[in-house]
Amino acid sequence: MGMKNHEMVPLPLISAIAGIHRGAVARTLSDLCKHKLVAFERTKKFDGYRLTVLGYDFLALKALCSREVVGSVGNQIGVGKESDVFVGGDIELNDLCLKFHRLGRTSFRKIKEKRDYHKKRKSASWLYLSRLAAAKEFAFLKALHDKNFPVPKPIDVSRHVVVMGLIDGKTLCHMDHIEDPAKLYDRLMALIVKLGRHGLIHGDFNEFNLMMLEDERIVMIDFPQMVSMDHPNAEYYFDRDVQCVRNFIKRKFDYESDDYPRFHEVERKTNLDSELEASGFTKQMRLDLNKAYDEGNFLAHCEADDVNEGDEGSSGDEQDKDRGEEDDEETPENNDDDDDDESDSDEGTIIQEEDEDVDKEELKQTEVESQQQMKALGKSERFNTWLSTATSQLSDVDLKELDGECPLLLHPREVEREAELRAEREAYIQAREEADKEEEEMMEETGNSGNIEKEKKKSVKSASKTGPKSVTSTGSTIIPPDEVKRRASLEAFRNKEKARLKVKGKQCAVRRGRKENRNIIKEYDGWI
Ligand SMILES: Nc1ncnc2c1ncn2[C@@H]1O[C@H](COP(=O)(O)OP(=O)(O)OP(=O)(O)O)[C@@H](O)[C@H]1O
């Protein structure tokens, strides 16, 4: 929640959102840091915590487990430019495919090449964008599956994770031999036309996004750039998909044909594109996602704080660049901090950048370790200081003066307060003793001194032990007006004492806590 508008979420805000005391939150966060689910970052001005990619994965998996959609996670079966794909199992251990969207892994330059987008950059949250990408994929999967398109079965989506059916096949790029290339060619072209008839264009119809089953049927596994047939550049995208298939079959299986679909020949039957508008993936989400692709900045989550602010380099004309080349530039291990968005694609520069990344990572790790040590040291120092102050204050307290009170070990602040109260109480006891003495004398004068004397003594004794107690008198006596006044003021003092000790109700404390939280959230609102 905090990361909606904070790159690093400050501790007070986390505590306010969680509704947990700051100390407990700090302890929990330090545990999470140990497991690399959150990371602590310190900059010149602010410090705070951010959710890591792993932390976000855990959140999504936790939700999917609670819904009993996912019961297990297995090996990684694929690494896309913008995703990690794992095999998984449901609670009955049936196979599933878990696709974790990771917008931000791919560099700006590569996104631009793929997406035909350019324009200026602006910060975008990788959490939000990954979530949007997942929502979009799930909405498309569902719509296409409902229309009997050959796509994996959509099962569920949570945050940035899409759960779908596992396809037991090979991606076309891994197929070295097929029985009948002409049949494959026809199948692929038929699929492009079928999409067109439903008002859609794949936009990235290539051998990396298509899988082949054992019986040579084709399954579309990825369609991140699907556009409507009404798109202003629809014809361009359509022709590009067709050409992509022609090139691939020619290159890989040495088959060529002049028979291929043309954009104007496609007869539109249904409007799946407009149906998709009404799906879970709203227009606003589409706009946000496209804007992010346009602006190309997915670096909000990068580990290194000195992220290069790259410029706008290549244009959309480079889109047809061989996919293989791009894959060579990928660094799968370095899964969340690619920042090589320069227009220059020189291999040497890329290797140098990777080395720098490794150095930065090491540096960062040592920094984090030293921070943790400092924190631990800081804590023990604080404890030692507190202990020595408390000891010295305790030694100042004269236990005899407590006059029978249990000499408990108190916090230094309580000791101070006790001392203040004691002074007030002594004054009060003294005043009361005087009053009782006078009263006693008056009683003696009136001849009623017998049992009353004993009573008074007992009363004074108990008052000196336990503080203010009500004054009792068993005999009838005439009390002078001055004495009445004094007693009234003593009573008032006692009531004041009682009011000070009054504990506020639980409800009041809850309300106060909520109010404080609201104020903290307000205070940090919009701070990035
Ligand atoms: N449903 C699935 N069943 C089996 N394997 C899958 C499935 N979905 C994806 N994969 C595997 O994961 C790999 C990457 O998936 P996908 O192409 O969807 O990721 P991506 O990040 O969108 O990739 P890119 O943008 O590079 O095409 C695929 O090449 C494929 O091997």
Side-chain angles (χ1 to χ4, degrees), residues 77-83 85 97 99 115 137 152 164-167 171 204 208-209 211 221-222 224 323:
I77 51 168
V79 183
K81 284 194 309 299
E82 294 150 27
S83 68
V85 183
C97 174
K99 185 165 171 179
R115 303 275 187 256
E137 175 157 38
M164 58 181 130
L166 184 74
I167 302 301
T171 38
D204 198 13
F208 299 93
N209 293 328
M211 285 182 88
I221 52 164
D222 191 25
R323 170 84 175 238

Side-chain angles (χ1 to χ4, degrees), residues 265-429:
E265 288 170 2
V266 178
E267 204 181 313
R268 199 161 158 165
K269 297 258 167 71
T270 52
N271 293 322
L272 200 54
D273 49 346
S274 24
E275 278 175 40
L276 276 161
E277 289 279 312
S279 71
F281 191 73
T282 60
K283 195 170 179 183
Q284 186 54 48
M285 287 163 121
R286 181 168 54 82
L287 289 176
D288 281 354
L289 192 61
N290 285 348
K291 194 171 162 216
Y293 285 140
D294 282 356
E295 292 165 355
N297 186 357
F298 303 100
L299 304 174
H301 69 299
C302 286
E303 302 291 331
D305 45 7
D306 50 351
V307 165
N308 291 334
E309 285 292 306
D311 57 358
E312 328 304 319
S314 52
S315 71
D317 298 341
E318 290 176 59
Q319 286 162 358
D320 295 329
K321 202 176 164 189
D322 191 330
R323 170 84 175 238
E325 260 177 54
E326 292 171 5
D327 284 353
D328 291 343
E329 293 172 9
E330 293 290 334
T331 50
E333 317 78 58
N334 190 10
N335 64 359
D336 56 358
D337 56 353
D338 282 357
D339 52 1
D340 50 346
D341 47 352
E342 310 297 325
S343 54
D344 180 12
S345 63
D346 189 321
E347 285 283 332
T349 322
I350 289 163
I351 291 166
Q352 202 185 333
E353 279 174 4
E354 282 172 4
D355 286 346
E356 277 172 14
D357 279 351
V358 173
D359 287 349
K360 273 177 212 157
E361 251 173 47
E362 275 175 14
L363 254 174
K364 190 145 192 349
Q365 208 165 339
T366 13
E367 219 173 80
V368 169
E369 276 167 16
S370 66
Q371 269 172 12
Q372 279 169 349
Q373 279 172 357
M374 289 280 282
K375 241 196 252 170
L377 268 174
K379 270 184 205 160
S380 68
E381 249 170 49
R382 245 170 51 204
F383 177 72
N384 288 339
T385 327
W386 175 80
L387 196 61
S388 61
T389 328
T391 318
S392 68
Q393 279 179 340
L394 263 180
S395 62
D396 289 346
V397 176
D398 187 355
L399 291 180
K400 275 179 202 162
E401 277 183 26
L402 291 173
D403 196 17
E405 279 183 41
C406 180
L408 291 172
L409 274 179
L410 296 171
H411 186 278
R413 239 181 279 142
E414 284 180 62
V415 173
E416 251 173 48
R417 194 171 138 68
E418 271 296 313
E420 281 169 21
L421 283 176
R422 203 184 318 125
E424 283 177 20
R425 213 181 296 142
E426 270 165 11
Y428 158 70
I429 290 167

Side-chain angles (χ1 to χ4, degrees), residues 419-469:
E420 281 169 21
L421 283 176
R422 203 184 318 125
E424 283 177 20
R425 213 181 296 142
E426 270 165 11
Y428 158 70
I429 290 167
Q430 209 181 337
R432 214 177 58 175
E433 274 175 350
E434 275 171 27
D436 288 341
K437 219 169 161 188
E438 276 175 31
E439 197 180 329
E440 218 172 279
E441 281 166 11
M442 274 165 40
M443 291 285 189
E444 272 169 15
E445 275 171 26
T446 50
N448 285 332
S449 59
N451 293 334
I452 296 166
E453 200 177 321
K454 272 184 200 169
E455 281 287 327
K456 296 302 141 201
K457 271 183 189 165
K458 219 194 261 177
S459 162
V460 169
K461 206 177 167 191
S462 71
S464 64
K465 269 187 185 176
T466 56
K469 280 270 155 76

Side-chain angles (χ1 to χ4, degrees), residues 22-89:
R22 235 175 260 188
V25 171
R27 212 169 32 243
T28 310
L29 283 169
S30 97
D31 278 351
L32 292 171
C33 278
K34 266 186 230 152
H35 294 288
K36 296 195 165 66
L37 299 176
V38 296
F40 177 74
E41 280 192 8
R42 177 165 286 167
T43 62
K44 272 181 201 158
K45 284 188 181 171
F46 310 108
D47 41 288
Y49 295 84
R50 65 173 174 79
L51 194 63
T52 60
V53 175
L54 190 64
Y56 202 43
D57 289 354
F58 266 63
L59 283 177
L61 284 175
K62 172 88 174 75
L64 290 167
C65 283
S66 318
R67 286 185 219 158
E68 301 196 338
V69 172
V70 174
S72 56
V73 181
N75 294 338
Q76 186 159 7
I77 51 168
V79 183
K81 284 194 309 299
E82 294 150 27
S83 68
D84 281 329
V85 183
F86 288 80
V87 66

